[in-house]
PDB file of all heavy atoms in Angstrom:
ATOM      1  N   LEU A  16      89.969 101.349  92.643  1.00 88.00           N
ATOM      2  CA  LEU A  16      90.818 101.553  93.819  1.00 88.00           C
ATOM      3  C   LEU A  16      90.080 101.376  95.135  1.00 88.00           C
ATOM      4  O   LEU A  16      90.686 100.975  96.133  1.00 88.00           O
ATOM      5  CB  LEU A  16      91.435 102.953  93.771  1.00 88.00           C
ATOM      6  CG  LEU A  16      92.397 103.206  92.593  1.00 88.00           C
ATOM      7  CD1 LEU A  16      92.926 104.628  92.639  1.00 88.00           C
ATOM      8  CD2 LEU A  16      93.542 102.215  92.607  1.00 88.00           C
ATOM      9  N   ALA A  17      88.809 101.685  95.161  1.00 89.00           N
ATOM     10  CA  ALA A  17      88.055 101.565  96.418  1.00 89.00           C
ATOM     11  C   ALA A  17      88.124 100.146  96.981  1.00 89.00           C
ATOM     12  O   ALA A  17      88.115  99.942  98.200  1.00 89.00           O
ATOM     13  CB  ALA A  17      86.605 101.978  96.205  1.00 89.00           C
ATOM     14  N   GLN A  18      88.187  99.146  96.067  1.00 90.00           N
ATOM     15  CA  GLN A  18      88.301  97.752  96.511  1.00 90.00           C
ATOM     16  C   GLN A  18      89.758  97.295  96.557  1.00 90.00           C
ATOM     17  O   GLN A  18      90.169  96.581  97.474  1.00 90.00           O
ATOM     18  CB  GLN A  18      87.526  96.822  95.564  1.00 90.00           C
ATOM     19  CG  GLN A  18      86.022  96.803  95.778  1.00 90.00           C
ATOM     20  CD  GLN A  18      85.352  98.090  95.285  1.00 90.00           C
ATOM     21  OE1 GLN A  18      85.687  98.577  94.202  1.00 90.00           O
ATOM     22  NE2 GLN A  18      84.433  98.637  96.070  1.00 90.00           N
ATOM     23  N   ARG A  19      90.554  97.711  95.559  1.00 90.00           N
ATOM     24  CA  ARG A  19      91.908  97.186  95.447  1.00 90.00           C
ATOM     25  C   ARG A  19      92.878  97.764  96.478  1.00 90.00           C
ATOM     26  O   ARG A  19      93.787  97.054  96.939  1.00 90.00           O
ATOM     27  CB  ARG A  19      92.454  97.427  94.033  1.00 90.00           C
ATOM     28  CG  ARG A  19      91.717  96.612  92.977  1.00 90.00           C
ATOM     29  CD  ARG A  19      92.388  96.731  91.617  1.00 90.00           C
ATOM     30  NE  ARG A  19      91.656  95.950  90.623  1.00 90.00           N
ATOM     31  CZ  ARG A  19      91.807  94.639  90.455  1.00 90.00           C
ATOM     32  NH1 ARG A  19      92.653  93.970  91.210  1.00 90.00           N
ATOM     33  NH2 ARG A  19      91.107  94.007  89.526  1.00 90.00           N
ATOM     34  N   GLU A  20      92.702  99.030  96.826  1.00 92.00           N
ATOM     35  CA  GLU A  20      93.635  99.617  97.797  1.00 92.00           C
ATOM     36  C   GLU A  20      93.571  98.907  99.145  1.00 92.00           C
ATOM     37  O   GLU A  20      94.619  98.570  99.704  1.00 92.00           O
ATOM     38  CB  GLU A  20      93.375 101.122  97.948  1.00 92.00           C
ATOM     39  CG  GLU A  20      93.964 101.950  96.819  1.00 92.00           C
ATOM     40  CD  GLU A  20      93.818 103.448  97.053  1.00 92.00           C
ATOM     41  OE1 GLU A  20      93.206 103.832  98.075  1.00 92.00           O
ATOM     42  OE2 GLU A  20      94.318 104.217  96.216  1.00 92.00           O
ATOM     43  N   PRO A  21      92.379  98.685  99.724  1.00 93.00           N
ATOM     44  CA  PRO A  21      92.337  97.944 100.996  1.00 93.00           C
ATOM     45  C   PRO A  21      92.968  96.548 100.881  1.00 93.00           C
ATOM     46  O   PRO A  21      93.612  96.085 101.831  1.00 93.00           O
ATOM     47  CB  PRO A  21      90.837  97.854 101.305  1.00 93.00           C
ATOM     48  CG  PRO A  21      90.246  99.039 100.616  1.00 93.00           C
ATOM     49  CD  PRO A  21      91.038  99.176  99.357  1.00 93.00           C
ATOM     50  N   GLU A  22      92.791  95.882  99.712  1.00 93.00           N
ATOM     51  CA  GLU A  22      93.410  94.570  99.523  1.00 93.00           C
ATOM     52  C   GLU A  22      94.929  94.676  99.574  1.00 93.00           C
ATOM     53  O   GLU A  22      95.609  93.835 100.186  1.00 93.00           O
ATOM     54  CB  GLU A  22      92.973  93.983  98.176  1.00 93.00           C
ATOM     55  CG  GLU A  22      91.498  93.612  98.101  1.00 93.00           C
ATOM     56  CD  GLU A  22      91.075  93.220  96.678  1.00 93.00           C
ATOM     57  OE1 GLU A  22      91.968  93.122  95.808  1.00 93.00           O
ATOM     58  OE2 GLU A  22      89.874  93.027  96.457  1.00 93.00           O
ATOM     59  N   THR A  23      95.466  95.707  98.903  1.00 93.00           N
ATOM     60  CA  THR A  23      96.918  95.911  98.906  1.00 93.00           C
ATOM     61  C   THR A  23      97.429  96.185 100.309  1.00 93.00           C
ATOM     62  O   THR A  23      98.456  95.636 100.736  1.00 93.00           O
ATOM     63  CB  THR A  23      97.291  97.090  97.987  1.00 93.00           C
ATOM     64  OG1 THR A  23      96.842  96.815  96.661  1.00 93.00           O
ATOM     65  CG2 THR A  23      98.806  97.326  97.972  1.00 93.00           C
ATOM     66  N   LEU A  24      96.708  97.029 101.057  1.00 94.00           N
ATOM     67  CA  LEU A  24      97.124  97.355 102.418  1.00 94.00           C
ATOM     68  C   LEU A  24      97.091  96.129 103.323  1.00 94.00           C
ATOM     69  O   LEU A  24      97.975  95.941 104.166  1.00 94.00           O
ATOM     70  CB  LEU A  24      96.240  98.460 102.995  1.00 94.00           C
ATOM     71  CG  LEU A  24      96.319  99.827 102.284  1.00 94.00           C
ATOM     72  CD1 LEU A  24      95.332 100.802 102.914  1.00 94.00           C
ATOM     73  CD2 LEU A  24      97.723 100.384 102.337  1.00 94.00           C
ATOM     74  N   ARG A  25      96.065  95.262 103.124  1.00 94.00           N
ATOM     75  CA  ARG A  25      95.994  94.021 103.911  1.00 94.00           C
ATOM     76  C   ARG A  25      97.181  93.115 103.586  1.00 94.00           C
ATOM     77  O   ARG A  25      97.768  92.500 104.481  1.00 94.00           O
ATOM     78  CB  ARG A  25      94.674  93.298 103.628  1.00 94.00           C
ATOM     79  CG  ARG A  25      93.516  93.771 104.491  1.00 94.00           C
ATOM     80  CD  ARG A  25      92.338  92.811 104.431  1.00 94.00           C
ATOM     81  NE  ARG A  25      91.765  92.749 103.098  1.00 94.00           N
ATOM     82  CZ  ARG A  25      90.813  93.575 102.656  1.00 94.00           C
ATOM     83  NH1 ARG A  25      90.351  94.539 103.459  1.00 94.00           N
ATOM     84  NH2 ARG A  25      90.322  93.457 101.437  1.00 94.00           N
ATOM     85  N   LYS A  26      97.542  93.062 102.299  1.00 95.00           N
ATOM     86  CA  LYS A  26      98.675  92.228 101.896  1.00 95.00           C
ATOM     87  C   LYS A  26      99.967  92.753 102.519  1.00 95.00           C
ATOM     88  O   LYS A  26     100.785  91.966 103.034  1.00 95.00           O
ATOM     89  CB  LYS A  26      98.791  92.208 100.367  1.00 95.00           C
ATOM     90  CG  LYS A  26      99.936  91.331  99.869  1.00 95.00           C
ATOM     91  CD  LYS A  26     100.011  91.324  98.354  1.00 95.00           C
ATOM     92  CE  LYS A  26     101.191  90.455  97.898  1.00 95.00           C
ATOM     93  NZ  LYS A  26     101.332  90.448  96.422  1.00 95.00           N
ATOM     94  N   TRP A  27     100.162  94.067 102.487  1.00 94.00           N
ATOM     95  CA  TRP A  27     101.355  94.649 103.107  1.00 94.00           C
ATOM     96  C   TRP A  27     101.411  94.297 104.592  1.00 94.00           C
ATOM     97  O   TRP A  27     102.481  94.013 105.135  1.00 94.00           O
ATOM     98  CB  TRP A  27     101.334  96.182 102.960  1.00 94.00           C
ATOM     99  CG  TRP A  27     101.604  96.672 101.575  1.00 94.00           C
ATOM    100  CD1 TRP A  27     101.894  95.924 100.476  1.00 94.00           C
ATOM    101  CD2 TRP A  27     101.591  98.034 101.147  1.00 94.00           C
ATOM    102  NE1 TRP A  27     102.066  96.730  99.388  1.00 94.00           N
ATOM    103  CE2 TRP A  27     101.898  98.032  99.758  1.00 94.00           C
ATOM    104  CE3 TRP A  27     101.361  99.249 101.776  1.00 94.00           C
ATOM    105  CZ2 TRP A  27     101.973  99.198  99.019  1.00 94.00           C
ATOM    106  CZ3 TRP A  27     101.441 100.416 101.042  1.00 94.00           C
ATOM    107  CH2 TRP A  27     101.743 100.399  99.671  1.00 94.00           C
ATOM    108  N   ASP A  28     100.256  94.298 105.241  1.00 92.00           N
ATOM    109  CA  ASP A  28     100.196  93.987 106.663  1.00 92.00           C
ATOM    110  C   ASP A  28     100.537  92.515 106.906  1.00 92.00           C
ATOM    111  O   ASP A  28     101.265  92.180 107.843  1.00 92.00           O
ATOM    112  CB  ASP A  28      98.798  94.314 107.198  1.00 92.00           C
ATOM    113  CG  ASP A  28      98.753  94.331 108.720  1.00 92.00           C
ATOM    114  OD1 ASP A  28      99.667  94.922 109.325  1.00 92.00           O
ATOM    115  OD2 ASP A  28      97.809  93.751 109.291  1.00 92.00           O
ATOM    116  N   GLN A  29     100.019  91.647 106.052  1.00 95.00           N
ATOM    117  CA  GLN A  29     100.242  90.206 106.213  1.00 95.00           C
ATOM    118  C   GLN A  29     101.709  89.828 106.011  1.00 95.00           C
ATOM    119  O   GLN A  29     102.245  88.953 106.707  1.00 95.00           O
ATOM    120  CB  GLN A  29      99.358  89.433 105.231  1.00 95.00           C
ATOM    121  CG  GLN A  29      97.869  89.479 105.575  1.00 95.00           C
ATOM    122  CD  GLN A  29      96.988  88.989 104.438  1.00 95.00           C
ATOM    123  OE1 GLN A  29      97.481  88.619 103.367  1.00 95.00           O
ATOM    124  NE2 GLN A  29      95.673  89.006 104.656  1.00 95.00           N
ATOM    125  N   ILE A  30     102.351  90.473 105.051  1.00 95.00           N
ATOM    126  CA  ILE A  30     103.752  90.123 104.769  1.00 95.00           C
ATOM    127  C   ILE A  30     104.722  90.993 105.584  1.00 95.00           C
ATOM    128  O   ILE A  30     105.936  90.902 105.396  1.00 95.00           O
ATOM    129  CB  ILE A  30     104.075  90.255 103.266  1.00 95.00           C
ATOM    130  CG1 ILE A  30     103.979  91.733 102.829  1.00 95.00           C
ATOM    131  CG2 ILE A  30     103.169  89.366 102.436  1.00 95.00           C
ATOM    132  CD1 ILE A  30     104.455  91.970 101.400  1.00 95.00           C
ATOM    133  N   HIS A  31     104.176  91.826 106.475  1.00 93.00           N
ATOM    134  CA  HIS A  31     104.992  92.717 107.316  1.00 93.00           C
ATOM    135  C   HIS A  31     105.920  93.566 106.451  1.00 93.00           C
ATOM    136  O   HIS A  31     107.153  93.594 106.641  1.00 93.00           O
ATOM    137  CB  HIS A  31     105.796  91.909 108.329  1.00 93.00           C
ATOM    138  CG  HIS A  31     104.950  91.020 109.199  1.00 93.00           C
ATOM    139  ND1 HIS A  31     104.094  91.505 110.174  1.00 93.00           N
ATOM    140  CD2 HIS A  31     104.813  89.658 109.219  1.00 93.00           C
ATOM    141  CE1 HIS A  31     103.475  90.492 110.758  1.00 93.00           C
ATOM    142  NE2 HIS A  31     103.885  89.357 110.203  1.00 93.00           N
ATOM    143  N   ALA A  32     105.323  94.278 105.498  1.00 93.00           N
ATOM    144  CA  ALA A  32     106.093  95.028 104.508  1.00 93.00           C
ATOM    145  C   ALA A  32     107.013  96.063 105.153  1.00 93.00           C
ATOM    146  O   ALA A  32     108.146  96.272 104.689  1.00 93.00           O
ATOM    147  CB  ALA A  32     105.137  95.721 103.533  1.00 93.00           C
ATOM    148  N   ARG A  33     106.565  96.704 106.225  1.00 93.00           N
ATOM    149  CA  ARG A  33     107.407  97.725 106.860  1.00 93.00           C
ATOM    150  C   ARG A  33     108.687  97.117 107.397  1.00 93.00           C
ATOM    151  O   ARG A  33     109.792  97.642 107.175  1.00 93.00           O
ATOM    152  CB  ARG A  33     106.635  98.420 107.984  1.00 93.00           C
ATOM    153  CG  ARG A  33     107.422  99.542 108.662  1.00 93.00           C
ATOM    154  CD  ARG A  33     106.604 100.160 109.789  1.00 93.00           C
ATOM    155  NE  ARG A  33     106.489  99.247 110.919  1.00 93.00           N
ATOM    156  CZ  ARG A  33     107.332  99.216 111.957  1.00 93.00           C
ATOM    157  NH1 ARG A  33     108.362 100.066 111.986  1.00 93.00           N
ATOM    158  NH2 ARG A  33     107.164  98.379 112.956  1.00 93.00           N
ATOM    159  N   GLU A  34     108.557  95.991 108.136  1.00 94.00           N
ATOM    160  CA  GLU A  34     109.731  95.355 108.711  1.00 94.00           C
ATOM    161  C   GLU A  34     110.664  94.820 107.617  1.00 94.00           C
ATOM    162  O   GLU A  34     111.891  94.943 107.708  1.00 94.00           O
ATOM    163  CB  GLU A  34     109.310  94.196 109.628  1.00 94.00           C
ATOM    164  CG  GLU A  34     108.595  94.631 110.904  1.00 94.00           C
ATOM    165  CD  GLU A  34     107.107  94.867 110.706  1.00 94.00           C
ATOM    166  OE1 GLU A  34     106.647  94.898 109.537  1.00 94.00           O
ATOM    167  OE2 GLU A  34     106.396  95.031 111.712  1.00 94.00           O
ATOM    168  N   VAL A  35     110.067  94.256 106.569  1.00 94.00           N
ATOM    169  CA  VAL A  35     110.875  93.744 105.450  1.00 94.00           C
ATOM    170  C   VAL A  35     111.637  94.879 104.782  1.00 94.00           C
ATOM    171  O   VAL A  35     112.819  94.752 104.438  1.00 94.00           O
ATOM    172  CB  VAL A  35     109.968  93.019 104.418  1.00 94.00           C
ATOM    173  CG1 VAL A  35     110.762  92.652 103.168  1.00 94.00           C
ATOM    174  CG2 VAL A  35     109.348  91.775 105.041  1.00 94.00           C
ATOM    175  N   MET A  36     110.949  96.017 104.594  1.00 92.00           N
ATOM    176  CA  MET A  36     111.568  97.179 103.965  1.00 92.00           C
ATOM    177  C   MET A  36     112.772  97.657 104.775  1.00 92.00           C
ATOM    178  O   MET A  36     113.846  97.922 104.216  1.00 92.00           O
ATOM    179  CB  MET A  36     110.540  98.305 103.847  1.00 92.00           C
ATOM    180  CG  MET A  36     111.049  99.566 103.190  1.00 92.00           C
ATOM    181  SD  MET A  36     109.822 100.920 103.219  1.00 92.00           S
ATOM    182  CE  MET A  36     110.098 101.567 104.886  1.00 92.00           C
ATOM    183  N   VAL A  37     112.609  97.747 106.097  1.00 92.00           N
ATOM    184  CA  VAL A  37     113.695  98.217 106.953  1.00 92.00           C
ATOM    185  C   VAL A  37     114.847  97.216 106.963  1.00 92.00           C
ATOM    186  O   VAL A  37     116.025  97.586 106.852  1.00 92.00           O
ATOM    187  CB  VAL A  37     113.177  98.464 108.391  1.00 92.00           C
ATOM    188  CG1 VAL A  37     114.341  98.810 109.329  1.00 92.00           C
ATOM    189  CG2 VAL A  37     112.144  99.580 108.402  1.00 92.00           C
ATOM    190  N   ASP A  38     114.518  95.916 107.082  1.00 93.00           N
ATOM    191  CA  ASP A  38     115.557  94.885 107.154  1.00 93.00           C
ATOM    192  C   ASP A  38     116.349  94.771 105.859  1.00 93.00           C
ATOM    193  O   ASP A  38     117.516  94.353 105.862  1.00 93.00           O
ATOM    194  CB  ASP A  38     114.927  93.530 107.484  1.00 93.00           C
ATOM    195  CG  ASP A  38     114.344  93.493 108.904  1.00 93.00           C
ATOM    196  OD1 ASP A  38     114.727  94.373 109.712  1.00 93.00           O
ATOM    197  OD2 ASP A  38     113.509  92.617 109.184  1.00 93.00           O
ATOM    198  N   ALA A  39     115.716  95.132 104.745  1.00 92.00           N
ATOM    199  CA  ALA A  39     116.370  95.000 103.448  1.00 92.00           C
ATOM    200  C   ALA A  39     117.364  96.120 103.178  1.00 92.00           C
ATOM    201  O   ALA A  39     118.088  96.093 102.187  1.00 92.00           O
ATOM    202  CB  ALA A  39     115.322  94.966 102.333  1.00 92.00           C
ATOM    203  N   SER A  40     117.391  97.119 104.043  1.00 92.00           N
ATOM    204  CA  SER A  40     118.283  98.251 103.839  1.00 92.00           C
ATOM    205  C   SER A  40     119.141  98.441 105.077  1.00 92.00           C
ATOM    206  O   SER A  40     119.187  97.568 105.952  1.00 92.00           O
ATOM    207  CB  SER A  40     117.459  99.514 103.546  1.00 92.00           C
ATOM    208  OG  SER A  40     118.274 100.538 103.037  1.00 92.00           O
ATOM    209  N   GLY A  41     119.865  99.526 105.144  1.00 90.00           N
ATOM    210  CA  GLY A  41     120.652  99.819 106.332  1.00 90.00           C
ATOM    211  C   GLY A  41     122.147  99.881 106.102  1.00 90.00           C
ATOM    212  O   GLY A  41     122.912 100.125 107.036  1.00 90.00           O
ATOM    213  N   SER A  42     122.586  99.704 104.864  1.00 93.00           N
ATOM    214  CA  SER A  42     124.022  99.731 104.589  1.00 93.00           C
ATOM    215  C   SER A  42     124.631 101.104 104.865  1.00 93.00           C
ATOM    216  O   SER A  42     125.822 101.218 105.158  1.00 93.00           O
ATOM    217  CB  SER A  42     124.293  99.328 103.127  1.00 93.00           C
ATOM    218  OG  SER A  42     123.670 100.246 102.234  1.00 93.00           O
ATOM    219  N   ARG A  43     123.810 102.131 104.794  1.00 95.00           N
ATOM    220  CA  ARG A  43     124.306 103.502 105.009  1.00 95.00           C
ATOM    221  C   ARG A  43     123.919 104.048 106.382  1.00 95.00           C
ATOM    222  O   ARG A  43     124.111 105.231 106.650  1.00 95.00           O
ATOM    223  CB  ARG A  43     123.771 104.425 103.911  1.00 95.00           C
ATOM    224  CG  ARG A  43     124.330 104.132 102.528  1.00 95.00           C
ATOM    225  CD  ARG A  43     123.800 105.120 101.514  1.00 95.00           C
ATOM    226  NE  ARG A  43     124.078 106.497 101.912  1.00 95.00           N
ATOM    227  CZ  ARG A  43     123.411 107.566 101.457  1.00 95.00           C
ATOM    228  NH1 ARG A  43     122.403 107.389 100.602  1.00 95.00           N
ATOM    229  NH2 ARG A  43     123.729 108.779 101.845  1.00 95.00           N
ATOM    230  N   GLY A  44     123.361 103.200 107.243  1.00 95.00           N
ATOM    231  CA  GLY A  44     123.016 103.647 108.581  1.00 95.00           C
ATOM    232  C   GLY A  44     121.519 103.629 108.842  1.00 95.00           C
ATOM    233  O   GLY A  44     120.757 102.958 108.134  1.00 95.00           O
ATOM    234  N   VAL A  45     121.113 104.372 109.864  1.00 96.00           N
ATOM    235  CA  VAL A  45     119.718 104.356 110.329  1.00 96.00           C
ATOM    236  C   VAL A  45     119.112 105.751 110.167  1.00 96.00           C
ATOM    237  O   VAL A  45     119.788 106.769 110.354  1.00 96.00           O
ATOM    238  CB  VAL A  45     119.642 103.933 111.814  1.00 96.00           C
ATOM    239  CG1 VAL A  45     118.221 104.030 112.343  1.00 96.00           C
ATOM    240  CG2 VAL A  45     120.181 102.521 111.985  1.00 96.00           C
ATOM    241  N   TYR A  46     117.843 105.797 109.785  1.00 96.00           N
ATOM    242  CA  TYR A  46     117.110 107.061 109.664  1.00 96.00           C
ATOM    243  C   TYR A  46     115.778 106.880 110.372  1.00 96.00           C
ATOM    244  O   TYR A  46     115.003 105.974 110.043  1.00 96.00           O
ATOM    245  CB  TYR A  46     116.877 107.411 108.189  1.00 96.00           C
ATOM    246  CG  TYR A  46     116.128 108.696 107.957  1.00 96.00           C
ATOM    247  CD1 TYR A  46     116.791 109.906 107.841  1.00 96.00           C
ATOM    248  CD2 TYR A  46     114.732 108.704 107.865  1.00 96.00           C
ATOM    249  CE1 TYR A  46     116.109 111.096 107.630  1.00 96.00           C
ATOM    250  CE2 TYR A  46     114.034 109.890 107.655  1.00 96.00           C
ATOM    251  CZ  TYR A  46     114.722 111.071 107.538  1.00 96.00           C
ATOM    252  OH  TYR A  46     114.036 112.239 107.329  1.00 96.00           O
ATOM    253  N   VAL A  47     115.505 107.713 111.375  1.00 96.00           N
ATOM    254  CA  VAL A  47     114.242 107.627 112.115  1.00 96.00           C
ATOM    255  C   VAL A  47     113.522 108.966 112.019  1.00 96.00           C
ATOM    256  O   VAL A  47     114.108 110.015 112.310  1.00 96.00           O
ATOM    257  CB  VAL A  47     114.469 107.269 113.602  1.00 96.00           C
ATOM    258  CG1 VAL A  47     113.136 107.209 114.342  1.00 96.00           C
ATOM    259  CG2 VAL A  47     115.211 105.954 113.726  1.00 96.00           C
ATOM    260  N   LEU A  48     112.265 108.944 111.594  1.00 96.00           N
ATOM    261  CA  LEU A  48     111.447 110.153 111.546  1.00 96.00           C
ATOM    262  C   LEU A  48     110.398 110.070 112.652  1.00 96.00           C
ATOM    263  O   LEU A  48     109.446 109.302 112.552  1.00 96.00           O
ATOM    264  CB  LEU A  48     110.764 110.306 110.174  1.00 96.00           C
ATOM    265  CG  LEU A  48     110.187 111.690 109.849  1.00 96.00           C
ATOM    266  CD1 LEU A  48     109.996 111.836 108.339  1.00 96.00           C
ATOM    267  CD2 LEU A  48     108.878 111.971 110.540  1.00 96.00           C
TER     268      LEU A  48
END
């Protein structure tokens, strides 16, 4: 994990995982924390 976790996090950053996750949902409205 010491090597693989940073690789996974870099991949999430490259593919903009947060924005993709938000855009893929929303049928029931918006939730902001």
Side-chain angles (χ1 to χ4, degrees):
L16 296 179
Q18 281 73 43
R19 293 187 180 278
E20 281 186 357
E22 292 172 7
T23 301
L24 296 177
R25 274 194 295 272
K26 181 179 179 182
W27 287 358
D28 194 45
Q29 290 167 359
I30 66 173
H31 304 290
R33 182 181 71 92
E34 292 84 349
V35 172
M36 181 185 82
V37 174
D38 293 342
S40 194
S42 61
R43 292 182 56 201
V45 175
Y46 180 89
V47 179
L48 196 160

